[in-house]
């Protein structure tokens, strides 16, 4: 500490000495300039008083010219000295400014160090009046007190943590009182809670998440389960279900089919927002139809109300789709998944009245390409899928051509995407 303080004092003294030295140099320079000026004036006066050697007019003119030149030279010398002095003075002012800034920065740093070492100085002052033996003894006592204080803080913190833990464990605060369920469509919240097996006295720290997940995954509709504990007393459960792609109609019994062509024959719950009803499918035809439904998006699949198996002599994979918007579609279950994804555009292309009914009644044929076929008004409803193209009125022909153009555009999009 003393050595650093001496170094700072030495540095400040050196700066002050340099400033004094510059002041002395400027004063000496001014004295020299004054003496030179007085010497020049005295020499000029002597030359004026000196008697002329010759009375000739030419000599007098010559002396006048010489005196005039000397006066001009003296004036130039004075101007040069004045300019040099002002330049040195400006340099001195700049040096003085830098020295002041340096001194100010040094003073600020010293104050900062002094503020940082105040505590240390106080401790030194505390031991200043003591002998070496007393100082060591006092330091030992202070160190012991500091260790005791730290131990007291740690022990108090541990006791508080233990108390909080015990309060949480043995009070209703740790009992599971909230269960947040998300992701379930066909499973009800009550079914999920029953599978979780959360009893009235179940506590957060004793409840087994693994057991709850295993219980839920035993349900064939459940694909994946995630359970998270959120303190103090909440369970967050997210359920991912297998998609129900269809419902098989067998007499008066309806059996849901999930992705992977798995039938839930023993399922007794309700199926909300499920796939279409499959009627008349058996064996490989049913498997192929379920595969086609699995390849459809859920949005398109939800637009189908019922699918009937309607084979013909040369079309064993022919099906009839009854859409929820009232339209009927003839298709092939081998290609229906690729073609039906354009059904929203097809439906929007059809002319409808204010009540939403088709202006020209007919059906969409997707078995080969995509075309709209109006119904024959004289035919019965039982043979709608086998009606010929109506060509009796110009109005119906224009409607058919307009809709067919829209369907042709959809065909081009389908071909380009494939």
């Amino acid at each position: 500490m003393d050595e650093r303080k001496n170094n700072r004092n030495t540095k400040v003294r050196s700066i002050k000495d340099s400033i004094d030295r510059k002041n002395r140099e400027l004063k000496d320079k001014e004295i020299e300039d004054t003496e030179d000026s007085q010497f020049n004036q005295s020499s000029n006066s002597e030359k004026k008083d000196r008697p002329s050697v010759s009375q000739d007019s030419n000599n007098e003119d010559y002396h006048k010219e010489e005196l005039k030149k000397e006066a001009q030279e003296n004036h130039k010398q004075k101007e040069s000295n004045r300019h040099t002095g002002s330049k040195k003075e400006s340099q001195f002012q700049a040096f003085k400014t830098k020295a002041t800034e340096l001194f100010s920065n040094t003073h600020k740093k010293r104050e900062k160090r002094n503020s940082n070492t105040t505590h240390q100085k106080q401790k030194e002052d505390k031991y200043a009046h003591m002998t070496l033996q007393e100082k060591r003894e006092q330091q030992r006592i202070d160190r012991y007190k500091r260790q005791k204080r730290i131990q007291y803080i740690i022990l108090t913190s541990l006791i508080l943590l233990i108390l909080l833990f015990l309060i949480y464990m043995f009070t209703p605060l740790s009992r599971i009182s909230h269960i947040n369920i998300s992701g379930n469509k066909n499973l009800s919240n009550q079914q999920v809670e029953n599978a979780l097996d959360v009893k009235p006295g179940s506590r957060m720290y004793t409840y087994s998440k693994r057991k709850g997940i295993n219980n839920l995954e035993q349900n064939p509709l459940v694909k994946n389960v995630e359970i998270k504990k959120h303190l103090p007393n909440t369970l967050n459960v997210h359920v991912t279900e297998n998609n129900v792609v269809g419902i098989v109609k067998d007499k008066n019994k309806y059996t849901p089919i999930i992705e992977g062509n798995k039938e839930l024959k023993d399922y007794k719950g309700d199926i909300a927002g499920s796939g279409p009803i499959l009627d008349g499918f058996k064996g490989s035809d049913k498997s192929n139809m379920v595969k086609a439904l699995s390849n459809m998006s859920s949005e398109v699949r939800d637009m189908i109300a019922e699918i009937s198996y309607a084979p013909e002599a040369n079309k064993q994979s022919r099906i009839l789709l009854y859409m929820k918007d009232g339209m009927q579609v003839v298709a092939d279950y081998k290609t229906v998944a690729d073609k039906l994804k354009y059904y929203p555009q097809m439906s929007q292309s059809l002319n409808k009245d204010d009540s939403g009914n088709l202006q020209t009644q007919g059906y969409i044929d997707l078995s080969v390409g995509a075309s709209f076929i109006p119904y024959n008004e004289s035919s019965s409803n039982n043979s709608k899928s086998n009606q010929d193209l109506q060509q009796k009125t110009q109005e119906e022909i224009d409607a058919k051509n307009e809709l067919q153009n829209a369907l042709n555009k959809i065909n081009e999009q389908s071909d380009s995407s494939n």
Side-chain angles (χ1 to χ4, degrees):
M1 286 285 296
D2 295 338
E3 184 178 353
R4 285 189 292 178
K5 187 174 181 180
N6 292 333
N7 291 333
R8 289 198 299 270
N9 294 335
T10 303
K11 190 173 182 180
V12 173
R13 283 198 299 273
S14 63
I15 293 172
K16 290 182 177 180
D17 292 341
S18 61
I19 294 172
D20 295 339
R21 187 165 57 253
K22 287 288 183 178
N23 287 329
R24 287 196 299 271
E25 289 179 358
L26 286 175
K27 289 181 180 180
D28 293 340
K29 184 63 179 176
E30 291 177 357
I31 293 171
E32 289 178 0
D33 293 341
T34 304
E35 290 178 353
D36 291 339
S37 176
Q38 291 176 356
F39 177 76
N40 290 332
Q41 291 177 0
S42 63
S43 61
N44 290 335
S45 62
E46 288 177 359
K47 287 181 180 180
K48 289 180 181 179
D49 296 338
R50 188 185 302 162
S52 61
V53 179
S54 174
Q55 300 297 325
D56 188 80
S57 61
N58 293 330
N59 290 336
E60 290 179 359
D61 292 338
Y62 174 78
H63 285 297
K64 288 180 179 179
E65 289 293 331
E66 289 293 328
L67 291 174
K68 187 176 180 180
K69 288 180 179 180
E70 288 181 0
Q72 291 177 353
E73 289 178 357
N74 291 333
H75 181 70
K76 289 180 180 180
Q77 186 66 28
K78 288 181 181 179
E79 291 293 331
S80 177
N81 292 337
R82 188 181 301 109
H83 178 70
T84 303
S86 63
K87 185 176 181 180
K88 288 185 176 181
E89 185 177 358
S90 63
Q91 291 177 351
F92 173 73
Q93 291 295 335
F95 175 77
K96 187 175 180 181
T97 303
K98 288 183 178 180
T100 304
E101 291 177 356
L102 179 62
F103 180 78
S104 177
N105 293 334
T106 304
H107 181 68
K108 290 179 179 178
K109 290 180 180 179
R110 184 169 63 252
E111 288 182 350
K112 187 176 180 179
R113 283 194 295 267
N114 289 338
S115 63
N116 293 334
T117 57
T118 301
H119 183 66
Q120 185 175 357
K121 287 182 177 180
Q122 290 177 354
K123 290 176 66 177
E124 291 178 356
D125 294 340
K126 179 180 178 180
Y127 304 126
H129 64 282
M130 299 181 182
T131 62
L132 182 60
Q133 186 66 25
E134 292 175 344
K135 181 179 178 180
R136 289 178 179 175
E137 182 64 21
Q138 188 62 41
Q139 288 177 345
R140 187 185 66 79
I141 294 172
D142 292 342
R143 188 163 52 251
Y144 175 77
K145 289 180 179 180
R146 186 168 59 253
Q147 291 176 352
K148 282 292 184 182
R149 187 166 56 252
I150 294 172
Q151 291 175 359
Y152 175 76
I153 293 172
I154 294 173
L155 183 61
T156 304
S157 301
L158 288 174
I159 292 172
L160 289 175
L161 288 175
I162 292 171
L163 287 175
L164 290 174
F165 181 72
L166 292 175
I167 291 172
Y168 177 74
M169 285 183 65
F170 299 105
T171 60
L173 188 62
S174 62
R175 291 176 183 171
I176 299 174
S177 57
H178 301 286
I179 301 176
N180 298 325
I181 302 172
S182 61
N184 56 316
K185 296 179 181 178
N186 296 303
L187 287 176
S188 65
N189 288 348
Q190 188 60 45
Q191 287 177 299
V192 175
E193 291 181 5
N194 292 338
L196 290 173
D197 193 24
V198 177
K199 295 179 174 59
S202 297
R203 296 185 180 273
M204 291 286 288
Y205 56 87
T206 59
Y207 178 74
S208 175
K209 293 194 299 181
R210 174 51 53 190
K211 184 178 179 181
I213 291 173
N214 290 336
N215 290 341
L216 277 169
E217 289 181 346
Q218 289 178 5
N219 191 312
L221 281 177
V222 176
K223 187 176 184 178
N224 185 38
V225 180
E226 184 179 4
I227 300 176
K228 291 183 178 179
K229 294 181 179 180
H230 189 272
L231 295 178
N233 49 21
T234 302
L235 288 181
N236 293 325
V237 182
H238 181 75
V239 179
T240 303
E241 295 183 354
N242 288 307
N243 290 323
V244 178
V245 297
I247 299 175
V248 176
K249 181 180 180 181
D250 186 11
K251 296 181 181 179
N252 295 327
K253 184 179 180 182
Y254 293 90
T255 302
I257 301 177
I258 62 174
E259 49 189 335
N261 195 20
K262 184 177 180 181
E263 294 186 26
L264 308 182
K265 294 183 178 180
D266 297 329
Y267 187 76
K268 297 179 181 180
D270 295 330
I271 302 297
S274 56
I277 297 174
L278 305 181
D279 186 19
F281 290 92
K282 294 181 180 180
S284 61
D285 295 322
K286 183 175 69 173
S287 299
N288 290 330
M289 189 66 245
V290 171
K291 183 178 179 181
L293 288 171
S294 300
N295 292 332
M296 295 180 189
S297 64
S298 59
E299 291 78 8
V300 173
R301 190 168 55 239
D302 290 341
M303 298 175 72
I304 307 171
E306 185 176 348
I307 304 175
S308 295
Y309 183 51
E312 290 183 346
N314 56 347
K315 297 179 181 178
Q316 293 298 316
S317 55
R318 184 172 176 271
I319 58 175
L320 296 178
L321 294 88
Y322 300 94
M323 312 302 290
K324 292 180 180 179
D325 60 359
M327 279 298 300
Q328 181 179 347
V329 178
V330 177
D332 188 315
Y333 61 63
K334 295 179 181 178
T335 59
V336 67
D338 291 331
K339 291 186 176 182
L340 204 64
K341 61 184 177 183
Y342 298 103
Y343 180 77
Q345 297 169 261
M346 297 177 189
S347 180
Q348 292 174 4
S349 301
L350 300 176
N351 291 331
K352 300 179 182 179
D353 55 22
D354 295 337
S355 60
N357 297 321
L358 291 175
Q359 292 182 356
T360 303
Q361 295 297 317
Y363 63 94
I364 295 176
D365 190 351
L366 299 179
S367 58
V368 179
S371 58
F372 176 78
I373 301 177
Y375 294 135
N376 189 340
E377 292 181 355
S378 61
S379 301
S380 62
N381 293 332
N382 295 329
S383 59
K384 288 182 179 180
S385 61
N386 299 317
Q387 299 302 317
D388 295 329
L389 179 64
Q390 184 179 15
Q391 299 177 351
K392 291 184 178 181
T393 63
Q394 187 64 36
E395 180 182 356
E396 291 171 342
I397 292 173
D398 293 341
K400 183 263 178 185
N401 291 334
E402 182 180 355
L403 295 171
Q404 188 60 54
N405 290 333
L407 294 173
N408 289 338
K409 293 181 181 179
I410 295 171
N411 282 332
E412 292 176 1
Q413 294 178 2
S414 177
D415 294 338
S416 61
S417 63
N418 293 333

